[in-house]
């Protein structure tokens, strides 16, 4: 069976961050809060680092769902920001789709809360419209692992590619030589175990002198 | 690869609740009893809320399997109710299939006990007859997680879509503006963590005045 | 080694519900939300059913911790209610201790959020003052199981007795004959699997006639 | 700190099987049904094999709790059998305590359903009366592992010794030479992995000839 | 997408039990020994109950793998029995394939030890030859769950259907009316929780008289 | 049994941070790296916030264990820093003990890597010298959970109190009114779920105006 | 649906060991260190035993990732060794691809650290170029199980076959008669439980004499 | 409460290795086979490295339990070796106790299979005779974690100290300066993650030159 490896191309991908709101974040139970916060911010840092067009959207910020977490607002001050008046599937919102199309990209990288709704619905809609869809699995959270497993199966069956933020960063960067320090900083900030490797290494280097 | 997003359409879906009987419920070990009871009733409330035609069926109510749980009887007083005399696969029962066809819907949303039999068998039969099949994963229970995993894999391979009751509610509703209060009430009654978000929010609003 | 079995005595126990507030409830990750809600309400129903003097207390209701969950307010409309102005350990609050002492009981049954603080601190203080302390383990929640395990060990080492709401109900009731229907209803409302046993049994009885 | 090893003495131990009833068994979720059935029957076989006086007791057999599981009835046809009219703690029942005292033993080995009530209550009462108490942990079941952990901690703090049926059998037997075949049969019947070792060994022996 | 539900047909299925040997059984760690023994014997009882042609095969019985477990030998005294001299994939053994073909069936139901080798290899070979292949997941065991997951994924990707013995029994039986007592006995013998439901039910019936 | 509640007293406690080195951190597998990093820094922030005398010590910084993680160095620029030349138990090092004694405190709060050595050894030594010992369980890590459980049991049996950093912060602070903003900031920085509560709350307050 | 069983053919497979470096190994948390070390060396021993052309590659050996683990260097002293100057996906490195092509094999067996990057990227690239790709799942490690699950799903969807080292060894060997002692030694060295079976068996044989 | 830290003293400890036989090892399911093998051999290497008097004992080597694993035989060629004719508790065997007493040590370090019998029984007997008892938790295995937990609790309550082999090695060694290379080699051989730290460190050192 022939297979084409559609890999993330930093020149052809837009990032969609869907409903990372303070109230909704408190519903997430398939990651520890520390892990989840780190994963979301790591994905956001990737988006910025690779200068990927990024679209923010929220659902009912004025109600119990709460506002977009301030860290994301701060990281993307000029990004299109669609506060949806009611559409559950962001793709049902014309402004959102318009913003997506305006990026001119054919790959979409999606993360959100909760996985089976805010991520899966636009992911499936985007697949139907012919986009290559990548799900940032660990920057997307939901009520429990059972629900997550079902959501992943549904998206996978639809041809979405499931990736972690670390895999995403690596697939976008392609070659360390493009910017060793930049990528290293990204990893150091969001992979504590990698940061420790660097610390030990640096200590060895310093001792050398 | 072209993909069509067959999403749940509240005008074109029938709900099949298969063998949620008191004896069989006591066999379920892949959810905590509290979680399972809540999930089944949440799905039932969705069916009522969206006015979806719903069919109840049971297997050997007079024997060890026990009667349909009374809560479901009470929620669907006028629904077709097929007490199967012996067919294990509900789809092998003519009356059941007749009731399904009488709804005129092309999407079927199935839940039941136990997952690998009472859910999977009619789900696969319905797929063969061309229906779009959606499985309410968390309102379906079985002996253990190993068995559930195998059952999900089989249904997924047959083109069934695996969804949680919450995803189902969201995909049916489409837009909060269709009825904010109704959907909010549904969530508040079956998502304790969402209910807490609402409580905190309401307290803030009340303080405002 | 001599051992005295200090068992819960419905004539000598007061119940302390500490900080079951909507915001704090959303921090709990060592129980599923459905299980936790059910456990807290089951304990509350026990307190009412056995007419145990019950004291409610909260911490900073007007801030992010949120108000007491409304269900508890509704179940104990006339209970002493101490909204603590700042003391983290409820036992550091004079009004709270006064309310406890006013009950004249020598056994205290405590539950709260979060386990290692709002439960453990007053539990240890009460032990120091000579009370027999019982912790309602499953109506108390916290950030994760690691933290809970450590908190349980600390309280256990201090002579607190760890019990689930079901064990509490049974130890208080002593004999089904005191009120079969009352206890049966309590179990039916909060133990879905026991409710199913009753349903099956009742169906058998009905068939007999 | 001085320590006395009170070990099970087959001449000085009585076995108490508390509420292993068909309905209650369906509430057990801290063991798989296969494991639990095997453990209970293994403990019963031990009691018979070592000719330990055994007392059966049940709670409300005519109601939803269901009858004693028939296998236990069949294994102890002449054992004292106390169908308690209402006492939740078996030790609150005079006939039960009379039957225990009639055995003249100072060690009690207890198993039952559910652990935190039907096992823990009489275990603590027996401790108070000066008995050495041993809990057959794996022949005792309850709603979930969280509840079990709390119950174990409470009994352990009261000086009860927690043992598995296999440890019990070994501590009672003391020396294989007392009856190699008898003990081997007991293990072969209830430890599938040990049975396989025997099978392999026997095959080797047979090949030798 | 069109889908055909190839369901187990008791007139068209042969059972392959591959390498359930005493030594190899001691390698299995993805099921408890009690669960695994029960599952294997339950599958074997199904094969006998439905009179399915069954083929036994082993690998190196005289070596460390040990002999076929005696229970299986006893249950299928006249079944073809191929002691493979060396082929790891049973399908590489001409006698085995000949025995399979001699059954004239087009559906194969396979279980064995270990899952990723003794089950997966002949399963994939059989798929290549056009058979419909069903894997009895819970009567197949291996070193750990990680390995099992990979093996299931490989077989599932090849179009094998994953089923538990209980689902197999139900799909073969189709209708309780074919033989209520026979199927009930099969379940009672291998599903302790179902046996308890029957016990409770029978007690209710007996009380009626 | 009389019980004294020795609670953490911010005027009488010293903090010992033992061997949080970059190499050793990479051995920790009983916490996720994100959780562990957050817990260690949260404990360090507590020590600073409450102005607790803090002692840093390391083992073989120049070898594979690596240097102290730079974040800790930065947080405690003037703290006593004992680079042990070889003593595995920090308490065997005279300089370390001298530094501890110099604080004049009678309560010691210990965290380190790995739990069963670098934490447990000085904890037990300090107990022997009459100190009240508190272990910061979640800022201490080791190879796996089995090892951790055994280490906890050993320290608990020696009279050490096991606490999480959050419980520590609360027991030190006693009363929110001592500094609402300071404690709130500490929680906001190290409890992502609490930070979300604050964010939602602040949004509500802002909307009010 | 037609299916072809592409099984590993020892005459047509090359092994790619990607980035098994000392620093990266310390990032792996989805296997215990003992298991992971054993799995990697078992796969390497297979490669040597079956004389499969093997290619070693590393990423930034001079930096924090650390050198190739010395055991692998020692096992493949003459293998092509590509120290990649920066390409994250080994397949993006011309020398690496040249080395792969020079083997003339059409099956590739890949393992590495971390699974979702160093394994998945070249696996997908190789699939695109028409290779049959086999992933040695248990000789590949990553940060956690959630990430691994997503990586497996992505590779599986691309037609890669997921196998454990044991399944790989068996599929390569085909028939024990090809070399009983050789394969037995491989298993004895890397499967402690199989080694025990052999020990028991040998003891029986020795006793015979 | 006064506390004495009885720490392992290499001049006053004897090691008891109880029933590490090939058949019994295959019953162990609370550790992976790789982990368990490594732990047992690590403990044995400690005993040799610190020149601790070591006693080997087995139960029924000629039967299904199998011979002592050959690695242990090889490591202790001149150690007392008591093949017990039938006593389950090794302490019931006079020769064994005589051998223990002949060492003249007052600390005993015990490991064995299975934990709740072969370890717990002699551990409790030794406690009764006044020995300080240390259990090597991770070099002792049993049927499942539930059983292990109960066994640990029983030994802990009797004053046994639970330690891992790594903690044992560290408590015996006291100070790296006693022999840096020796201890480093021990760790490198049995802690793969520590070995990687050393490898990375050595590479840095080599680069320096």
């Amino acid at each position: 069976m022939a297979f084409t490896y559609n890999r993330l191309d930093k020149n052809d991908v837009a990032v969609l961050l869907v409903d990372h709101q303070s109230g909704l974040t408190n519903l997430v139970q398939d990651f520890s809060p520390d892990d989840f916060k780190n994963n979301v911010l790591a994905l956001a840092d990737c988006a910025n680092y690779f200068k990927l067009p990024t679209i923010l959207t929220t659902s009912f910020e004025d109600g119990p769902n709460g506002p977009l977490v301030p860290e994301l607002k701060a990281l993307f001050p000029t990004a299109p920001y669609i506060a949806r008046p009611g559409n559950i599937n962001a793709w049902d919102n014309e402004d959102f789709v318009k913003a997506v199309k305006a990026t001119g990209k054919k790959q979409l990288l999606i993360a959100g809360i909760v996985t089976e709704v805010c991520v899966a619905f636009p992911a499936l809609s985007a697949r139907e419209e012919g986009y290559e869809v990548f799900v940032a699995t660990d920057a997307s959270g939901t009520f429990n692992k059972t629900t997550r497993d079902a959501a992943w199966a549904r998206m996978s069956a639809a041809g979405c590619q499931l990736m972690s933020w670390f895999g995403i960063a690596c697939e976008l960067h392609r070659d360390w030589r493009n910017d060793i320090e930049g990528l290293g900083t990204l990893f150091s900030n969001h992979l504590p175990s990698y940061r420790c490797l660097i610390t030990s290494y640096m200590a060895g280097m310093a001792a050398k002198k």
Side-chain angles (χ1 to χ4, degrees), chain A:
Chain A
M1 154 188 72
F3 168 79
T4 305
Y5 177 15
N6 290 319
R7 53 173 157 168
L8 281 167
D9 175 348
K10 68 185 168 190
N11 300 311
D12 207 6
V13 63
V15 177
L16 315 181
L17 300 179
V18 186
D19 302 353
H20 288 100
Q21 297 165 252
S22 60
L24 298 177
T25 301
N26 275 339
L27 304 179
V28 171
Q29 298 225 0
D30 61 335
F31 292 94
S32 86
D34 296 329
D35 283 344
F36 191 64
K37 181 181 175 185
N38 180 61
N39 293 342
V40 171
L41 295 183
L43 180 68
D45 279 358
C46 286
N48 265 339
Y49 174 68
F50 292 106
K51 301 191 191 340
L52 308 179
T54 299
I55 298 168
L56 304 172
T57 181
T58 56
S59 160
F60 265 140
E61 282 205 65
D62 300 336
N65 294 350
L68 184 65
V69 295
E71 290 88 346
L72 290 185
K73 263 186 210 159
L75 282 166
F76 302 100
T78 62
Y81 186 116
I82 290 95
R84 306 193 310 280
N87 322 273
I88 294 177
N89 182 345
W91 207 268
D92 286 345
N93 181 290
E94 283 186 26
D95 292 337
F96 181 79
V97 175
K98 218 175 291 178
V100 172
K101 295 199 166 158
T103 66
K105 308 302 185 187
K106 76 164 194 285
Q107 297 185 324
L108 300 180
L109 175 54
I110 309 182
I113 305 172
V114 302
T115 312
E116 73 273 29
V117 172
C118 307
V119 178
F121 291 3
L124 298 177
S125 291
R127 283 287 300 126
E128 187 167 62
E129 298 225 6
Y131 285 90
E132 292 171 22
V133 175
F134 299 79
V135 177
T137 51
D138 49 1
S140 302
T142 188
F143 302 103
N144 53 60
K145 293 186 187 180
T146 305
T147 292
R148 177 175 75 192
D149 287 350
W152 283 18
R154 195 184 193 205
M155 292 188 286
S156 202
C160 299
Q161 298 196 58
L162 306 179
M163 297 184 71
S164 63
W165 75 260
F166 179 73
I168 288 163
C170 291
E171 197 156 298
L172 287 165
H173 199 62
R174 299 282 170 94
D175 196 314
W176 274 93
R177 289 167 297 186
N178 290 332
D179 175 11
I180 294 180
E181 200 175 309
L183 194 67
T185 301
L186 188 67
F187 290 175
S188 181
N189 286 343
H190 292 292
L191 285 175
S193 52
Y194 201 83
R195 184 189 199 89
C196 282
L197 292 183
I198 294 174
T199 298
S200 291
Y201 173 74
M202 290 304 186
M205 289 304 98
K208 244 204 294 216
K209 291 167 202 170

